[in-house]
Amino acid sequence: MKLLDGKIVSQAVKDQLKTKTDARIAEGKKAPHLAAILIGNNGASETYVASKVKSCAEIGFKSTLLRLEETITEQELLSKLNELNEDADIDGILVQLPLPKHISEQKVIETIYVSKDVDGFHPESVGRMVQGLPAFYPATPYGILLMLEHYQVETKGKHAVVIGRSNIVGRPISIMLSKNEYPGNCTVTVCHSHTPNLKEICLQADIIIAALGRPEFLKADMVKEGAVIVDVGITRVEDASKKSGFAIKGDVAFDEVAAKSSFITPVPGGVGPMTIAALMMNTFKACEAKDRP
Ligand code: GUN
């Protein structure tokens, strides 16, 4: 078993971006600038956004963090987004999800300019990704691809089973892995809550992407010897032994599955840091795209 170490790979990606950012600044060009919007007081969202802002600082990007009250109206939020859309210094905009119930996620996603959509959630970004056109790839699946590439995991001709069909992870990674390029050329099966024979399907998988959000769902008896396991889960479960009062659990029962796998991502320290590295890649690309007239 070899660990797919998201901390190491994300650091390598961020180091490369820092070198390129320093070079931009030495040439008199602007630093990439990410605007992040955090609404309300969701503990997990706070942690993710803080990591994104910290990564910007490490690389030499500018960041603007807008903390908005849970009670903000949809219209106020959309106006804020339009201001950021029109602000020439801002290259990328992200609104941390989930949103309060009274705000339409879809409207928010569709308001962000495609050119600043570094989360890759806008329908036009998704459509472009599906058709193989230049596009911002959603950060979590993009991060997974960067990690598979770093460890030169063979994907061609492999059977990839994706558990989960969310717009953020399951659906986009299933499309990316089926593309005629590396990492890709997989035969992909997408499983979800209505899949009756999940265990049998998982047992046929060379690669499993577990992205359903159920702690330690994937057990050793569901996994073929030598499979590659990517764990996207990050659920907080109560744990009185931790100072924070909770532990982070992935969707994979790590110890038992690791013993059968060829490669496996840990949680934490696997896909999570890669999501941030991929977001930084997208922000850099958004900035570079503006250099061209
Ligand atoms: N919530 C969970 N994952 C993500 C993500 O990748 N981007 C944003 N904006 N919100 C999220």
Side-chain angles (χ1 to χ4, degrees), residues 52 94-97 119 121 140 168 275:
K52 291 171 185 180
L94 85 85
V95 179
Q96 189 65 29
L97 305 178
D119 257 331
F121 294 162
T140 300
I168 294 184
T275 295

Side-chain angles (χ1 to χ4, degrees), residues 233 239 246 249 267 285 289:
D239 185 338
F246 62 83
K249 292 275 180 212
V267 176
K285 283 181 196 171

Side-chain angles (χ1 to χ4, degrees), residues 12-13 76 123 127 149 183-184 220:
V13 170
E76 284 168 331
E149 196 175 10

